[in-house]
Amino acid sequence: QVQLVESGGGLVQPGGSLRLSCAASGSIVSIGAMRWYRQAPGKQRELVASITNGGSTSSTDAVKGRSTISRDNAKNTVFLQMNSLKPEDTAVYYCNADITIWTGSRRNYWGQGTQVTVSS
């Protein structure tokens, strides 16, 4: 009933930029916090950044100063702008959100992930 679909990943050179998008669709009544996670090969999935429905943001130290999370509540979409990318940013990036659907049920949803590769 709910889908999160990421886009915007790809191959980028060190020092480059990418903008990831994640659109939520389905029988959505409201969306709470939205988040970006990433998982590099052989590593655990880690939280990269989060944003509340009021716009308060936080991010992990590894990307602080190089990334910006934002959202468009009218379009149920969250973005992650990443600049000055480093090879260690290479990972699959996942969108995550707390969503209430038409039944009143609230739960956490994941997208399918988008690959970001930083390499020369």
Side-chain angles (χ1 to χ4, degrees):
Q1 287 182 315
V2 171
Q3 278 192 313
L4 297 179
V5 179
E6 300 101 334
S7 60
L11 174 64
V12 62
Q13 292 187 341
S17 298
L18 278 178
R19 189 189 195 213
L20 305 182
S21 301
C22 171
S25 63
S27 303
I28 296 170
V29 171
S30 65
I31 302 178
M34 303 185 83
R35 309 168 188 89
W36 286 99
Y37 284 79
R38 67 185 181 186
Q39 187 165 20
K43 294 188 177 182
Q44 289 189 328
R45 191 172 297 189
E46 64 171 350
L47 177 63
V48 177
S50 63
I51 184 168
T52 67
N53 57 5
S56 296
T57 64
S58 64
S59 61
T60 187
D61 287 344
V63 303
K64 206 160 282 185
R66 300 189 295 119
S67 71
T68 302
I69 187 170
S70 60
R71 64 192 284 173
D72 182 336
N73 290 333
K75 296 183 178 179
N76 291 337
T77 300
V78 63
F79 307 96
L80 183 67
Q81 175 70 43
M82 297 190 295
N83 304 318
S84 302
L85 284 161
K86 305 175 182 180
E88 50 263 45
D89 294 317
T90 296
V92 179
Y93 284 71
Y94 296 91
C95 176
N96 174 276
D98 299 326
I99 297 176
T100 301
I101 63 172
W102 68 277
T103 62
S105 171
R106 182 181 180 88
R107 52 159 284 196
N108 189 256
Y109 291 86
W110 289 91
Q112 82 289 348
T114 186
Q115 176 70 47
V116 171
T117 302
V118 184
S119 175
S120 55

